[in-house]
Amino acid sequence: MPRATVARIHLDNLRHNFRIAKERAAPARAMAVVKADGYGHGIERVARALSGDTDYYAVACLEEAAVLRAAGLSQPVLLMQGVHEADDLRISEAENFTVVVHSPHQLDWLKAGHGRPEVWLKVNSGMNRLGFAPADLGRVREQLAQAGIRVAGVMTHFACADDEQSQGTAQQTEVFDRSTTGLGDIVRSVANSAAHFRPGQPLFDRTRPGIMVYGGSPMLERYGPELGLKAVMTLESRLIATRELATGDAVGYGETWRATRPTRMGMVCIGYGDGYPRHAVNGTPVWIRGTRAPLIGRVSMDMLAVDLGDIPAATIGDTVELWGEHIPVDEVAACAGTISYELLTGVTRRVPRVETGASTSVNTGSDL
Ligand SMILES: Cc1ncc(COP(=O)(O)O)c(C=O)c1O
């Protein structure tokens, strides 16, 4: 008999969210970011579900792009970290992967003729992770032209687009715009999910929405549903035991929670071994029988405890939503001092992903 802990993947909600991204991006075109195993939802699953809506995918690396091709998906794929080895240029050319070039060593591999895939250049507009200095763009493009390689696109990435108060995004946009204006017939791309929600933000030609497609909020201190987004993953388990605690009884490792009154508690069959965050604090909500119940005590590897005081009818076998339609993943993330990205990508292989929505089928485990 299977363990009653599953991640339900709502493909209709995935498509709903991507369509919001497309509407917000227009007249720019959105490409679906499906890296990190489709933000934990299964890269093949989400890429297939979006294949009628997106004409381009974005991933971090070649291995992820290869999964898309193996699944029979033919759209171009943007490798946002570019290639990690010279020989991957040949594979990228053969597979129609667009390779981001962000560093001189990648430029050298291209100049040495290891392969001629479509190329985008990455500009460092201020985040200081990857990318050429704005002043070097023209020279890099010239060198590629001499090697017979046309630059099809140019991109940058924002450091603080999630923060409505920050001036950094406007500054990065200005640096990017100034350094890429006049490059001629070239695609320009800056926008992560957050940029889609910033009033007046220029989105250029192509946007790269990730977290919003999965229903997570890209904005600080806001939850996905406030932005019209729907949860794609519902993380769900069951009550497997209940217990009456007397005043003064502690629960779980480290005795971090103690009853201040007689309390009925329940044990839920999920823990950090499934990807539920161990750092979730006392009071982090779960959803049982249409009501919120607070987490009590420290999360264990395979289970966690909740206070059932407000849900007298709760009983063994009841379904417990850890996050999803009723409990925003952003809220759980805030209770654990992290972001929805980490929670969604951190659901472990032990948790079967069960699809709902059109193209319904049941899959076990993640795709990568
Ligand atoms: C270069 C790049 N573009 C786009 C994205 C998508 O970002 P988000 O999930 O915030 O929309 C990422 C994700 O980290 C990224 O690294």
Side-chain angles (χ1 to χ4, degrees), residues 91-134:
I91 300 170
S92 298
E93 181 179 355
E95 297 287 350
N96 192 22
F97 299 154
T98 303
V99 172
V100 170
V101 180
H102 56 73
S103 293
H105 69 279
Q106 294 177 326
L107 182 61
D108 289 343
W109 290 339
L110 282 161
K111 289 192 318 196
H114 289 278
R116 288 187 180 179
E118 177 164 294
V119 160
W120 282 23
L121 294 183
K122 185 153 190 180
V123 193
N124 176 17
S125 59
M127 193 177 193
N128 293 317
R129 288 196 315 192
L130 302 176
F132 293 99

Side-chain angles (χ1 to χ4, degrees), residues 35 39 80 122 129 155 157 192-193 208-211 341:
K35 66 189 174 121
Y39 285 50
M80 294 194 292
K122 185 153 190 180
R129 288 196 315 192
M155 66 179 275
H157 193 49
N192 55 0
S193 296
R208 310 185 306 270
I211 193 67
Y341 301 67

Side-chain angles (χ1 to χ4, degrees), residues 256-281:
T256 61
W257 184 92
R258 204 172 278 281
T260 55
R261 54 182 163 82
T263 303
R264 182 162 176 262
M265 58 153 271
M267 292 307 303
V268 186
C269 187
I270 189 166
Y272 64 79
D274 302 290
Y276 191 87
R278 182 172 175 278
H279 290 103
V281 294

Side-chain angles (χ1 to χ4, degrees), residues 282-332:
N282 285 319
T284 303
V286 306
W287 184 259
I288 305 172
R289 289 189 178 236
T291 305
R292 287 175 167 235
L295 177 78
I296 54 175
R298 198 171 275 167
V299 174
S300 303
M301 185 184 289
D302 312 311
M303 55 190 140
L304 54 81
V306 293
D307 181 343
L308 296 176
D310 291 336
I311 318 171
T315 188
I316 291 168
D318 276 3
T319 297
V320 180
E321 178 189 304
L322 287 310
W323 64 65
E325 184 190 353
H326 304 98
I327 307 287
V329 64
D330 307 299
E331 185 173 355
V332 181

